[in-house]
Amino acid sequence: DAGVIQSPRHEVTEMGQEVTLRCKPISGHDYLFWYRQTMMRGLELLIYFNNNVPIDDSGMPEDRFSAKMPNASFSTLKIQPSEPRDSAVYFCASSPDRNTGELFFGEGSRLTVL
Amino acid sequence: SQQGEEDPQALSIQEGENATMNCSYKTSINNLQWYRQNSGRGLVHLILIRSNEREKHSGRLRVTLDTSKKSSSLLITASRAADTASYFCATDARQVKTSYDKVIFGPGTSLSVIP
């Protein structure tokens, strides 16, 4: 299995631009998570899905952030408009079963907003 | 606020020595997990210990859990230079505010193993 695949690995954009981050979870995993990692705040859970349905989005920082999961093999995290404080590494993770708890992480998307 | 807090924030040891990292948390948990992150990479799951377990082993890793003290420790024995990484504890717990289960990560311990 290829693992969780994220794209792009690096994104540099200017303030005000729209950013879309993409994630392909491991096939057969029912749960998908989006995390954000910064030096100041560490790893923060933004949102997670179960069977393509958003379950808890209480970690999404603002209305500028939105996440979708149109099917079991694809999810997007969109920031519109982007701001410099959104600069971070965004991780997608998937899990086969919440009872087991183990999360499988992608390599992350490093976002820099100038 | 973060559920888990690791201690120490940074640890530097010689190859061959043991490394111990601690994690404290605030609320009741379903399980506690430890992850490793190499620089510039994603997190990799190391070990999971359930709330009704007290100790677990995996290779050179030993994890303990004390639910009465709300704390866990990760011991890496006979450390190697390749163990240099950041280590995170993550607690899986029901959130009071939302009633959803969430896996929340601590700030991590940065381990340097000097050859």
Side-chain angles (χ1 to χ4, degrees), chain B residues 14-31:
Chain B
Q14 296 288 328
E15 203 166 29
E17 294 181 337
N18 295 341
T20 299
M21 288 159 269
N22 302 298
C23 171
S24 60
Y25 57 92
K26 297 174 184 174
T27 66
S28 296
I29 60 173
N30 301 319
N31 63 60

mmCIF file of all heavy atoms in Angstrom, chain B residues 14-31:
data_model
loop_
_atom_site.group_PDB
_atom_site.id
_atom_site.type_symbol
_atom_site.label_atom_id
_atom_site.label_comp_id
_atom_site.label_asym_id
_atom_site.label_seq_id
_atom_site.Cartn_x
_atom_site.Cartn_y
_atom_site.Cartn_z
ATOM 1 N N GLN B 14 23.859 9.881 24.809
ATOM 2 C CA GLN B 14 24.855 9.172 24.022
ATOM 3 C C GLN B 14 24.267 7.869 23.490
ATOM 4 O O GLN B 14 23.391 7.264 24.127
ATOM 5 C CB GLN B 14 26.088 8.855 24.884
ATOM 6 C CG GLN B 14 26.845 10.078 25.375
ATOM 7 C CD GLN B 14 27.604 10.776 24.266
ATOM 8 O OE1 GLN B 14 28.077 10.132 23.324
ATOM 9 N NE2 GLN B 14 27.750 12.084 24.364
ATOM 10 N N GLU B 15 24.737 7.476 22.351
ATOM 11 C CA GLU B 15 24.294 6.198 21.773
ATOM 12 C C GLU B 15 24.544 5.080 22.784
ATOM 13 O O GLU B 15 25.581 5.039 23.448
ATOM 14 C CB GLU B 15 25.089 5.938 20.492
ATOM 15 C CG GLU B 15 24.403 5.001 19.532
ATOM 16 C CD GLU B 15 25.043 5.029 18.148
ATOM 17 O OE1 GLU B 15 26.257 5.308 18.073
ATOM 18 O OE2 GLU B 15 24.333 4.811 17.166
ATOM 19 N N GLY B 16 23.568 4.190 22.885
ATOM 20 C CA GLY B 16 23.689 3.076 23.826
ATOM 21 C C GLY B 16 22.973 3.328 25.144
ATOM 22 O O GLY B 16 22.631 2.376 25.848
ATOM 23 N N GLU B 17 22.764 4.582 25.478
ATOM 24 C CA GLU B 17 22.046 4.916 26.711
ATOM 25 C C GLU B 17 20.539 4.732 26.501
ATOM 26 O O GLU B 17 20.058 4.626 25.378
ATOM 27 C CB GLU B 17 22.335 6.355 27.144
ATOM 28 C CG GLU B 17 23.775 6.584 27.540
ATOM 29 C CD GLU B 17 24.023 8.026 27.977
ATOM 30 O OE1 GLU B 17 23.255 8.918 27.574
ATOM 31 O OE2 GLU B 17 25.005 8.236 28.712
ATOM 32 N N ASN B 18 19.823 4.700 27.617
ATOM 33 C CA ASN B 18 18.362 4.632 27.558
ATOM 34 C C ASN B 18 17.787 6.041 27.564
ATOM 35 O O ASN B 18 18.329 6.952 28.186
ATOM 36 C CB ASN B 18 17.814 3.863 28.757
ATOM 37 C CG ASN B 18 18.235 2.403 28.756
ATOM 38 O OD1 ASN B 18 18.642 1.856 27.732
ATOM 39 N ND2 ASN B 18 18.148 1.774 29.918
ATOM 40 N N ALA B 19 16.663 6.203 26.878
ATOM 41 C CA ALA B 19 15.965 7.493 26.847
ATOM 42 C C ALA B 19 14.582 7.312 27.426
ATOM 43 O O ALA B 19 13.852 6.390 27.024
ATOM 44 C CB ALA B 19 15.861 8.001 25.413
ATOM 45 N N THR B 20 14.224 8.179 28.358
ATOM 46 C CA THR B 20 12.891 8.129 28.965
ATOM 47 C C THR B 20 12.183 9.451 28.757
ATOM 48 O O THR B 20 12.728 10.514 29.046
ATOM 49 C CB THR B 20 12.978 7.851 30.475
ATOM 50 O OG1 THR B 20 13.601 6.581 30.687
ATOM 51 C CG2 THR B 20 11.576 7.805 31.079
ATOM 52 N N MET B 21 10.968 9.344 28.221
ATOM 53 C CA MET B 21 10.130 10.523 28.013
ATOM 54 C C MET B 21 8.819 10.312 28.747
ATOM 55 O O MET B 21 8.300 9.191 28.779
ATOM 56 C CB MET B 21 9.861 10.721 26.523
ATOM 57 C CG MET B 21 11.082 11.199 25.763
ATOM 58 S SD MET B 21 10.991 10.864 23.987
ATOM 59 C CE MET B 21 11.768 9.272 23.925
ATOM 60 N N ASN B 22 8.306 11.384 29.329
ATOM 61 C CA ASN B 22 7.084 11.286 30.108
ATOM 62 C C ASN B 22 5.967 12.110 29.481
ATOM 63 O O ASN B 22 6.219 13.092 28.782
ATOM 64 C CB ASN B 22 7.337 11.791 31.528
ATOM 65 C CG ASN B 22 8.438 11.010 32.213
ATOM 66 O OD1 ASN B 22 8.337 9.815 32.423
ATOM 67 N ND2 ASN B 22 9.532 11.692 32.538
ATOM 68 N N CYS B 23 4.753 11.687 29.763
ATOM 69 C CA CYS B 23 3.578 12.377 29.238
ATOM 70 C C CYS B 23 2.540 12.460 30.339
ATOM 71 O O CYS B 23 2.242 11.446 30.992
ATOM 72 C CB CYS B 23 3.023 11.604 28.041
ATOM 73 S SG CYS B 23 1.434 12.184 27.420
ATOM 74 N N SER B 24 2.020 13.647 30.576
ATOM 75 C CA SER B 24 0.935 13.801 31.544
ATOM 76 C C SER B 24 -0.296 14.327 30.820
ATOM 77 O O SER B 24 -0.170 15.067 29.841
ATOM 78 C CB SER B 24 1.345 14.757 32.670
ATOM 79 O OG SER B 24 1.665 16.033 32.146
ATOM 80 N N TYR B 25 -1.457 13.921 31.291
ATOM 81 C CA TYR B 25 -2.699 14.359 30.657
ATOM 82 C C TYR B 25 -3.722 14.717 31.720
ATOM 83 O O TYR B 25 -3.486 14.517 32.914
ATOM 84 C CB TYR B 25 -3.221 13.278 29.703
ATOM 85 C CG TYR B 25 -3.465 11.938 30.342
ATOM 86 C CD1 TYR B 25 -4.706 11.595 30.866
ATOM 87 C CD2 TYR B 25 -2.439 10.996 30.418
ATOM 88 C CE1 TYR B 25 -4.925 10.369 31.449
ATOM 89 C CE2 TYR B 25 -2.649 9.760 31.005
ATOM 90 C CZ TYR B 25 -3.888 9.441 31.512
ATOM 91 O OH TYR B 25 -4.104 8.224 32.097
ATOM 92 N N LYS B 26 -4.870 15.245 31.268
ATOM 93 C CA LYS B 26 -5.765 15.871 32.247
ATOM 94 C C LYS B 26 -7.071 15.117 32.494
ATOM 95 O O LYS B 26 -7.622 15.157 33.584
ATOM 96 C CB LYS B 26 -6.101 17.292 31.787
ATOM 97 C CG LYS B 26 -4.888 18.201 31.707
ATOM 98 C CD LYS B 26 -5.244 19.550 31.116
ATOM 99 C CE LYS B 26 -4.000 20.418 30.952
ATOM 100 N NZ LYS B 26 -4.287 21.681 30.242
ATOM 101 N N THR B 27 -7.592 14.437 31.455
ATOM 102 C CA THR B 27 -8.912 13.815 31.614
ATOM 103 C C THR B 27 -8.825 12.308 31.402
ATOM 104 O O THR B 27 -7.781 11.784 31.011
ATOM 105 C CB THR B 27 -9.907 14.411 30.609
ATOM 106 O OG1 THR B 27 -9.496 14.051 29.278
ATOM 107 C CG2 THR B 27 -9.954 15.930 30.719
ATOM 108 N N SER B 28 -9.922 11.621 31.633
ATOM 109 C CA SER B 28 -9.967 10.181 31.387
ATOM 110 C C SER B 28 -9.757 9.904 29.901
ATOM 111 O O SER B 28 -10.182 10.683 29.049
ATOM 112 C CB SER B 28 -11.332 9.625 31.821
ATOM 113 O OG SER B 28 -11.502 9.784 33.193
ATOM 114 N N ILE B 29 -9.105 8.794 29.616
ATOM 115 C CA ILE B 29 -8.763 8.481 28.229
ATOM 116 C C ILE B 29 -9.261 7.091 27.836
ATOM 117 O O ILE B 29 -9.485 6.230 28.702
ATOM 118 C CB ILE B 29 -7.239 8.567 27.989
ATOM 119 C CG1 ILE B 29 -6.500 7.584 28.905
ATOM 120 C CG2 ILE B 29 -6.735 9.992 28.181
ATOM 121 C CD1 ILE B 29 -5.011 7.465 28.619
ATOM 122 N N ASN B 30 -9.420 6.889 26.524
ATOM 123 C CA ASN B 30 -9.703 5.552 25.986
ATOM 124 C C ASN B 30 -8.393 4.785 25.811
ATOM 125 O O ASN B 30 -8.300 3.602 26.102
ATOM 126 C CB ASN B 30 -10.420 5.654 24.641
ATOM 127 C CG ASN B 30 -11.720 6.418 24.737
ATOM 128 O OD1 ASN B 30 -12.480 6.260 25.690
ATOM 129 N ND2 ASN B 30 -11.983 7.283 23.759
ATOM 130 N N ASN B 31 -7.418 5.496 25.236
ATOM 131 C CA ASN B 31 -6.092 4.915 25.077
ATOM 132 C C ASN B 31 -5.075 6.038 24.944
ATOM 133 O O ASN B 31 -5.444 7.217 24.798
ATOM 134 C CB ASN B 31 -6.032 3.980 23.859
ATOM 135 C CG ASN B 31 -6.281 4.700 22.551
ATOM 136 O OD1 ASN B 31 -5.543 5.609 22.191
ATOM 137 N ND2 ASN B 31 -7.318 4.293 21.827
#
